[in-house]
Amino acid sequence: MPNPFSLLADRWQPSAVIVRRAAFAALVMSVVIVVTGGAVRLTASGLGCSTWPRCTPESLTPTPEMGYYGIVEFTNRMLTYVLSAAVGWAILAARCHRPWRRSLTKLGWAQFWLVMSNAVLGGITVLTGLNPYTVALHMIAAMALVWVALLMWERSKEGDAPPKLAVARPIHQLSYVLVTVIGLLVAAGTLVTGAGHHPGTPRDNKIVPRIPLDYDRLAQFHADFAFISVGLAIAVIFVFAAVKAPQPARARAKELLAVLLLQGVLGFVQYFTDAPELMVGLHMFLATLTWIAALRIPLALRVREAEDTPEQLPTQAPQTAAV
């Protein structure tokens, strides 16, 4: 029986270029939502809306009494709808493209469910009074969204045949070790945030809980991971050169090292200048770019060709977010 997706696919068949652009738009919005979420915390607007899903118990939108903080928090909530629209466009473009690519559609639905779950997690963060652990989990979930969005964009430029490694398996596994270390580096950064100078409300607010660990030690722990990440990135560059890895992979490894070094300099300046808001925001943006740069490396170490036989169109729209 026809469904809305199949009916739309009968009338609109976007080109592969449109599918790639839709996937890229979803990726860009996933980065934007990370940056704007950080802006909410850095402007002390984390509790600008006192509850969720409404802004106040009596109002869906911020009231004049809530002032600047309410506007900032509510604006970030509204950007979730823009993100949802970008993800929806990516899903529809992938679903209506001929031949239909099931893998891309699944990645689109995975993004949708991540957006929905992260919205609920953001609500829990507000309802728990900016508990630092839920704030950290909120950030990690946003990075998971960036991961899936990047994967969809990269896959939109490939075929659906089984991947073939362009290097020996241990080299490919080394790239995943690098991704894991970068992921731990980002996670360690959320702990520093949880114990640091920007709880998400004005600094004289003593109600917001903080991670009960020494800030300086957490910052040192984070810096240690940064040193490990830089060392491993340098090692990967030399290994890729020695085994003559594909040029895109070698270029991406160098890009990761450049972003890591920039992050390291920024992190040290940030620490010794008492973490000014603008610098912390830039640090969060670069953290997202670091994560993206790391994830792109293993994707450049394998090749996917187009399948010989196009996949048949489904009779029903996919309902799961399996990747």
Side-chain angles (χ1 to χ4, degrees):
M1 181 178 178
N3 56 59
F5 289 93
S6 61
L7 291 174
L8 179 61
D10 289 338
R11 292 162 174 78
W12 179 51
Q13 290 86 43
S15 66
V17 172
I18 291 178
V19 175
R20 287 196 293 270
R21 288 175 179 173
F24 184 69
L27 173 61
V28 169
M29 279 307 305
S30 70
V31 175
V32 169
I33 208 70
V34 171
V35 175
T36 58
V40 170
R41 178 170 57 84
L42 295 171
T43 57
S45 303
L47 294 178
C49 287
S50 60
T51 188
W52 185 88
R54 302 171 70 88
C55 194
T56 71
E58 298 80 21
S59 174
L60 181 65
T61 60
T63 61
E65 293 77 16
M66 301 171 70
Y68 168 78
Y69 299 127
I71 294 174
V72 172
E73 163 65 2
F74 187 73
T75 299
N76 184 62
R77 292 187 183 188
M78 291 299 99
L79 281 175
T80 301
Y81 292 101
V82 180
L83 171 62
S84 299
V87 171
W89 181 34
I91 293 172
L92 290 176
R95 172 60 181 83
C96 295
H97 176 68
R98 299 293 178 86
W100 176 63
R101 297 181 60 186
R102 183 185 297 271
S103 60
L104 289 186
T105 308
K106 288 183 176 181
L107 288 170
W109 280 105
Q111 290 180 70
F112 171 79
W113 292 116
L114 280 169
V115 171
M116 295 300 103
S117 60
N118 212 13
V120 173
L121 185 57
I124 294 173
T125 299
V126 172
L127 295 176
T128 57
L130 302 185
N131 182 285
Y133 300 105
T134 60
V135 172
L137 188 58
H138 194 38
M139 174 67 172
I140 291 173
M143 288 299 188
L145 174 62
V146 172
W147 185 357
V148 179
L150 173 69
L151 186 57
M152 182 178 184
W153 179 55
E154 291 285 353
R155 288 295 311 279
S156 70
K157 298 180 285 185
E158 303 174 328
D160 279 328
K164 297 179 180 179
L165 294 183
V167 294
R169 185 168 297 277
I171 305 301
H172 194 241
Q173 292 172 337
L174 175 63
S175 70
Y176 280 111
V177 171
L178 179 60
V179 168
T180 301
V181 171
I182 296 298
L184 292 174
L185 175 64
V186 173
T190 65
L191 295 179
V192 177
T193 296
H197 304 295
H198 302 287
T201 61
R203 295 196 183 191
D204 57 356
N205 188 331
K206 304 300 182 182
I207 300 175
V208 176
R210 310 302 292 144
I211 292 178
L213 296 174
D214 183 74
Y215 171 76
D216 291 332
R217 291 192 176 186
L218 282 176
Q220 182 60 58
F221 177 70
H222 184 47
D224 291 340
F225 259 114
F227 286 124
I228 294 172
S229 300
V230 170
L232 186 56
I234 293 174
V236 165
I237 290 174
F238 280 105
V239 169
F240 282 5
V243 301
K244 295 181 172 57
Q247 181 58 37
R250 284 185 274 176
R252 292 178 184 187
K254 293 175 182 177
E255 290 169 3
L256 173 61
L257 178 61
V259 178
L260 278 172
L261 292 175
L262 181 58
Q263 268 287 69
V265 172
L266 184 62
F268 276 106
V269 174
Q270 173 184 308
Y271 178 80
F272 289 109
T273 55
D274 200 28
E277 288 80 0
L278 183 61
M279 195 166 291
V280 176
L282 181 58
H283 196 61
M284 289 187 64
F285 173 63
L286 288 177
T288 309
L289 296 186
T290 303
W291 179 230
I292 290 174
L295 290 170
R296 295 183 73 215
I297 293 174
L299 297 176
L301 294 174
R302 86 286 185 278
V303 178
R304 284 181 182 267
E305 303 293 344
E307 288 185 323
D308 294 334
T309 303
E311 193 167 3
Q312 297 297 317
L313 286 172
T315 57
Q316 292 185 345
Q319 297 297 316
T320 64
V323 180

